[in-house]
Amino acid sequence: MRPLQFDWPESPIQQVTSPIIQKQQITLNIKRDDLLHPTISGNKWRKLKYNLKEMQKNNKNAFLTFSGPFSNHLYAAGMAARLYNIQGNIIIRGPNIDELNPTIKMARACKLHLYPVNRLTYRQRNEPAYQNELRNTFPHCHLIPEGGSNHAALEGVKELAGSLNNTDYIVCATGSGGTLAGLISGTPESTQLIGIAVLKNAEYLRQDIIKLNPNAAIQHNWQLLCDHHDGGYGKFSKTLWLFCKKMKHVYNLPLEPIYTGKAFYALWNLIEQGYFPAHSHITFIHTGGLQGLDGLRYRDMI
């Protein structure tokens, strides 16, 4: 296949200030990775980038991955397939596909090949036997895990870490753990990393992060906060959604309540509670995912 260009200009940094931030005498910057690219943004591109390089290196001309029907990963994979003229194959958690779902409509427009499976089959997505079966069925495809989190993905997130200015704290939303695992690789141990788990009972993610990045077992500059899930994955309160809308209106900072809004709300509350020492420099990673707002509207959740 023809050589593909995967390097783009870095995303900007936005400073946010408020009376409470000034009172606590801290500096808060937002790494606006939602602005990394017009159609593929945030941590999903960071994770896909080196997976696509691996695909090219291994002389594959297509990829196969796994996704829920409203997933940011599905959206990013579709846009990448379209941008680079790559065949994309997606095992969709089903068993039925709602063709009116805006994320599915985008996937169709990007000419992704969608293969719906029942939930029992979908649960096998990380099992070696099932993956080997898929490799036999799709021998031309590079296999990418759900959400894109694997060792190749860490290289892209490590680049994100290297693009940041000196900071005392880095804060990000944590779903699968891949972004936090990559940040651990690329961040000096003098910087504290805080992952905000967006799902309930997420303590298991600590071991997943160590599995992805064994250095996490010996580095002590990171932590995962598991009490800010606001009801669990995909759930959010009216208070959280009102906070997201306020951030958009007051600070021109668009958020969605599943990942970035939930994590930024947690950070805002921690600042109000005096969690961070005075004169701390904090960088929040905006991991994108704003396309998810269309899915929430479609389901009458906002």
Side-chain angles (χ1 to χ4, degrees), residues 32-257:
R32 293 291 305 272
D33 247 20
D34 58 309
L35 301 176
L36 184 62
H37 187 271
T39 57
I40 318 172
S41 67
N43 64 340
K44 295 308 178 188
W45 169 250
R46 301 284 186 180
K47 295 176 182 180
L48 276 173
K49 177 179 177 179
Y50 281 88
N51 271 289
L52 295 179
K53 285 191 172 186
E54 283 288 312
M55 179 195 73
Q56 187 169 245
K57 178 182 176 182
N58 294 326
N59 295 315
K60 304 288 186 180
N61 58 11
F63 63 78
L64 172 68
T65 189
F66 310 85
S67 175
F70 290 94
S71 167
N72 294 327
H73 179 59
L74 173 59
Y75 189 92
M79 287 297 182
R82 180 176 182 178
L83 178 65
Y84 292 110
N85 196 27
I86 298 168
Q87 183 192 109
N89 301 275
I90 316 290
I91 305 295
I92 290 279
R93 186 182 68 242
N96 301 311
I97 294 179
D98 177 4
E99 298 293 345
L100 298 179
N101 167 351
T103 310
I104 294 295
K105 289 171 72 174
M106 177 285 309
R108 295 296 193 195
C110 292
K111 302 188 185 306
L112 289 181
H113 299 264
L114 306 181
Y115 301 91
V117 298
N118 60 46
R119 289 176 179 268
L120 183 62
T121 301
Y122 193 79
R123 289 192 194 105
Q124 301 177 55
R125 63 192 179 279
N126 296 321
E127 295 181 9
Y130 181 55
Q131 292 184 356
N132 287 335
E133 179 183 329
L134 290 173
R135 287 189 179 96
N136 290 331
T137 306
F138 300 90
H140 63 300
C141 288
H142 175 69
L143 188 63
I144 302 173
E146 181 184 46
S149 290
N150 58 8
H151 291 98
L154 300 191
E155 290 301 313
V157 183
K158 186 176 178 181
E159 284 186 354
L160 164 62
S163 75
L164 302 177
N165 298 326
N166 290 336
T167 187
D168 300 307
Y169 295 89
I170 298 174
V171 181
C172 67
T174 302
S176 65
T179 299
L180 188 54
L183 288 171
I184 290 168
S185 283
T187 302
E189 292 197 51
S190 57
T191 299
Q192 296 296 309
L193 295 167
I194 300 175
I196 307 294
V198 300
L199 59 161
K200 191 184 290 187
N201 301 321
E203 289 78 9
Y204 73 92
L205 283 174
R206 294 186 178 95
Q207 291 305 311
D208 285 358
I209 290 166
I210 291 170
K211 184 177 180 181
L212 277 168
N213 183 359
N215 287 334
I218 57 175
Q219 281 188 221
H220 303 291
N221 65 325
W222 68 278
Q223 59 181 310
L224 181 69
L225 303 185
C226 298
D227 296 327
H228 302 274
H229 52 74
D230 203 28
Y233 181 71
K235 298 180 180 180
F236 55 92
S237 62
K238 182 178 179 181
T239 300
L240 172 54
W241 177 232
L242 288 174
F243 173 82
C244 293
K245 292 197 289 186
K246 177 183 177 181
M247 292 299 107
K248 175 73 180 298
H249 176 70
V250 176
Y251 300 103
N252 195 28
L253 178 63
L255 300 167
E256 44 71 42

Side-chain angles (χ1 to χ4, degrees), residues 17-26 271:
T17 189
S18 73
I20 188 63
I21 289 173
Q22 293 173 339
K23 180 181 178 181
Q24 299 292 346
Q25 301 180 66
I26 63 174
I271 292 171

